[in-house]
């Protein structure tokens, strides 16, 4: 194993998921938190997501022998699906429990947390000023060798590089929610990232069972969301203009492209509250004459009724809880 110690800076939804996958793959992993109060918020997330990971392994037994199994198995948890048996999955469950217990630590002292770290991943709230203040505060705690990555979804690393104290050892490494199933790690440097550091981060991604998605230059929203967001926007536009209903729009996309789901099915998975928040940040969303205002109102009506998507059992579609 090339990477011995990993540090997560921030223990929210993504920080805890990334930490668990690092521990699952046998890495000594520390989640740094800023206060005692943060521990009370992070520990339940660790418990919740470790439970989800163990559940995903248990559920994967039902996929053995199913031709769809090769598509549906939890890819960050099982490296060689073809070789899987119930006994091997039980073995993975046993190892996961042990690794979560032995390799995952929470630390409040930044110097102690970061001592000897090979790689640190910042997974703090998506607020640019908070991230800058944080980097300025913590930059003296890094060991010289430590590579620093940001998991930011929407901000590019060049915005922050100068505040990190280690611009050549800084880049983005972006993970997806439900990391145990969606094992992509988008690797994106800024113009000052050392190419050797970039290669090292790609190797790290592979070592924690991710598929590195390598970007050659900065791109806000990386590759996936650059493709996905216009699709979702276009679906919303067709719906709000009254051109067609969500079912017809999804059907058209599925039949025309062979994709398994359409834009409204995807929005139900993302969650309509998140979709609502994204639209409300658009420049013209407050202008009552604009199409985005109309889309916001239509989605807002669903949110007010509790139709929040798959997690609520109803969004654009009904789901069996
Ligand atoms: N939620 C997702 O689906 C998702 C997916 C990919 C990437 N991301 C990215 O991951 C990052 C974290 O997102 P999240 O969903 O885990 O957020 P979250 O709100 O669940 O967690 C944020 C964490 O940051 C900590 N934090 C906030 N301000 C801080 C400060 N000033 N000092 C120290 N710690 C502070 C919080 O205590 C919390 O532990 C963001 O950059 C986001 O864009 C999120």
């Amino acid at each position: 194993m090339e990477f011995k110690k990993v540090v997560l800076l921030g223990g929210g939804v993504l920080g805890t998921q990334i930490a668990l996958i690092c521990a699952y793959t046998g890495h000594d992993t520390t989640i740094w938190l800023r206060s005692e109060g943060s521990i009370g918020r992070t520990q339940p997330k660790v418990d919740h997501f470790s439970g989800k990971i163990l559940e995903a392994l248990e559920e994967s037994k039902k996929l053995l022998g199913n031709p769809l199994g090769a598509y549906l198995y939890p890819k960050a948890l099982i490296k060689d699906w073809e070789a899987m048996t119930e006994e091997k999955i039980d073995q993975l469950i046993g190892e996961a429990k042990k690794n979560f217990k032995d390799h995952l630590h929470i630390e409040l002292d930044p110097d102690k947390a970061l001592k000897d770290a090979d790689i640190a991943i910042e997974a703090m709230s998506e607020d640019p000023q908070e991230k800058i203040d944080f980097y300025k505060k913590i930059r003296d705690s890094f060991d010289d060798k430590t590579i620093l990555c940001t998991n930011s979804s929407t901000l590019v690393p060049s915005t922050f590089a100068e505040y990190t104290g280690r611009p050549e050892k800084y880049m983005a490494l972006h993970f997806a929610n439900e990391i145990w199933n969606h094992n992509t790690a988008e690797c994106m440097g800024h113009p000052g990232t050392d190419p050797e550091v970039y290669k090292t981060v790609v190797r790290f991604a592979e070592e924690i069972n991710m598929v590195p998605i390598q970007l050659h230059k900065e791109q806000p929203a990386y590759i996936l969301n650059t493709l996905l967001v216009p699709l979702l926007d276009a679906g919303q536009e067709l719906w709000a203009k009254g051109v067609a209903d969500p079912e017809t729009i999804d059907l058209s996309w599925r039949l025309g492209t062979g994709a398994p789901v359409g834009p409204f099915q995807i929005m139900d998975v993302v969650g309509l509250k998140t979709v609502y928040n994204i639209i409300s940040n658009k420049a013209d969303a407050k202008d009552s004459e604009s199409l985005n205002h109309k889309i916001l109102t239509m989605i807002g009506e669903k949110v007010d009724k509790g139709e929040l998507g798959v997690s609520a059992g109803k969004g654009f579609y009904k789901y069996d809880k």
Side-chain angles (χ1 to χ4, degrees), residues 9-18 31-35 37-39 41-42 45 49 121-127 129-131 133-135 137-138 150-155 173-178 186 222 225 270 274:
L9 302 166
V13 173
L14 257 282
T16 51
Q17 292 185 30
I18 302 165
I31 304 177
W32 171 80
L33 299 174
R34 62 183 150 167
S35 66
S38 309
I39 299 180
R41 289 186 292 275
T42 292
K45 290 193 182 79
F49 290 122
I121 302 167
E122 172 269 302
M124 275 182 41
S125 319
E126 194 72 337
D127 178 319
Q129 194 53 51
E130 278 208 33
K131 285 198 200 261
D133 293 344
F134 166 75
Y135 286 138
K137 220 183 298 167
I138 204 158
T150 178
N151 181 46
S152 171
S153 298
T154 60
L155 306 160
L173 181 63
H174 178 240
F175 297 88
N177 202 359
E178 297 201 359
E186 294 182 286
Y222 304 86
N225 282 337
V270 171
T274 302

Side-chain angles (χ1 to χ4, degrees), residues 14 18 119-124 126 131 148-157 171-177 179 182-189 198 201-202 204-205 208 210-215 219-226 228:
L14 257 282
I18 302 165
I119 189 158
I121 302 167
E122 172 269 302
M124 275 182 41
E126 194 72 337
K131 285 198 200 261
L148 172 62
C149 295
T150 178
N151 181 46
S152 171
S153 298
T154 60
L155 306 160
V156 289
M171 60 181 278
L173 181 63
H174 178 240
F175 297 88
N177 202 359
I179 188 170
H182 306 295
N183 64 333
T184 54
E186 294 182 286
C187 305
M188 183 170 83
Y198 185 96
V201 170
V202 169
F204 169 70
I208 58 167
M210 296 291 119
V211 176
I213 305 290
Q214 299 185 47
L215 282 80
Q219 166 69 23
Y222 304 86
I223 293 176
L224 179 62
N225 282 337
T226 301
L228 185 60

Side-chain angles (χ1 to χ4, degrees), residues 77-270:
L77 308 180
I78 296 175
K79 279 190 100 164
D80 183 358
W81 176 249
E82 293 301 310
M84 274 304 114
T85 59
E86 285 213 11
E87 294 69 36
K88 284 187 180 160
I89 294 173
D90 278 333
Q91 202 179 327
L92 287 176
I93 291 173
E95 284 169 15
K97 285 182 182 163
K98 184 166 175 3
N99 283 346
F100 293 155
K101 194 160 149 280
D102 294 350
H103 294 315
L104 191 59
H105 323 283
I106 291 181
E107 177 59 62
L108 296 179
D109 180 332
D111 293 330
K112 276 193 199 154
L114 284 162
K115 190 170 168 9
D116 279 336
D118 295 298
I119 189 158
I121 302 167
E122 172 269 302
M124 275 182 41
S125 319
E126 194 72 337
D127 178 319
Q129 194 53 51
E130 278 208 33
K131 285 198 200 261
I132 288 173
D133 293 344
F134 166 75
Y135 286 138
K136 283 189 190 163
K137 220 183 298 167
I138 204 158
R139 65 184 168 197
D140 293 332
S141 298
F142 289 108
D143 273 12
D144 194 39
K145 66 169 181 177
T146 308
I147 291 175
L148 172 62
C149 295
T150 178
N151 181 46
S152 171
S153 298
T154 60
L155 306 160
V156 289
S158 59
T159 309
F160 305 108
E162 65 176 297
Y163 305 105
T164 62
R166 50 206 322 94
E168 69 296 339
K169 293 198 187 93
Y170 178 64
M171 60 181 278
L173 181 63
H174 178 240
F175 297 88
N177 202 359
E178 297 201 359
I179 188 170
W180 55 92
N181 284 326
H182 306 295
N183 64 333
T184 54
E186 294 182 286
C187 305
M188 183 170 83
H190 65 91
T193 306
D194 178 344
E196 285 308 314
V197 166
Y198 185 96
K199 285 186 204 156
T200 307
V201 170
V202 169
R203 288 200 302 278
F204 169 70
E206 287 167 341
E207 210 177 90
I208 58 167
N209 292 356
M210 296 291 119
V211 176
I213 305 290
Q214 299 185 47
L215 282 80
H216 301 312
K217 61 198 300 196
E218 287 194 332
Q219 166 69 23
Y222 304 86
I223 293 176
L224 179 62
N225 282 337
T226 301
L227 293 166
L228 185 60
V229 171
L231 172 71
L232 302 187
D233 284 352
Q236 290 161 6
E237 192 177 319
L238 290 166
W239 174 52
K241 280 182 174 168
V243 175
D245 52 59
E247 290 81 1
T248 308
I249 298 166
D250 280 353
L251 180 68
S252 170
W253 182 254
R254 289 198 306 269
L255 292 179
T257 64
V261 289
F264 292 90
Q265 292 169 290
I266 295 173
M267 282 186 255
D268 271 358
V269 172
V270 171

Side-chain angles (χ1 to χ4, degrees), residues 23-95:
Y24 179 86
T25 48
H27 298 84
D28 181 47
T29 307
T30 299
I31 304 177
W32 171 80
L33 299 174
R34 62 183 150 167
S35 66
E36 284 286 344
S38 309
I39 299 180
R41 289 186 292 275
T42 292
Q43 190 59 51
K45 290 193 182 79
V46 170
D47 297 341
H48 173 72
F49 290 122
S50 56
K52 287 286 209 187
I53 287 172
L54 296 173
E55 200 180 294
L57 281 168
E58 193 61 48
E59 287 291 306
S60 71
K61 288 182 191 169
K62 294 184 192 151
L63 297 171
L64 292 169
N66 179 336
L68 286 178
Y71 298 98
L72 299 175
Y73 76 95
K75 296 177 189 60
L77 308 180
I78 296 175
K79 279 190 100 164
D80 183 358
W81 176 249
E82 293 301 310
M84 274 304 114
T85 59
E86 285 213 11
E87 294 69 36
K88 284 187 180 160
I89 294 173
D90 278 333
Q91 202 179 327
L92 287 176
I93 291 173
E95 284 169 15

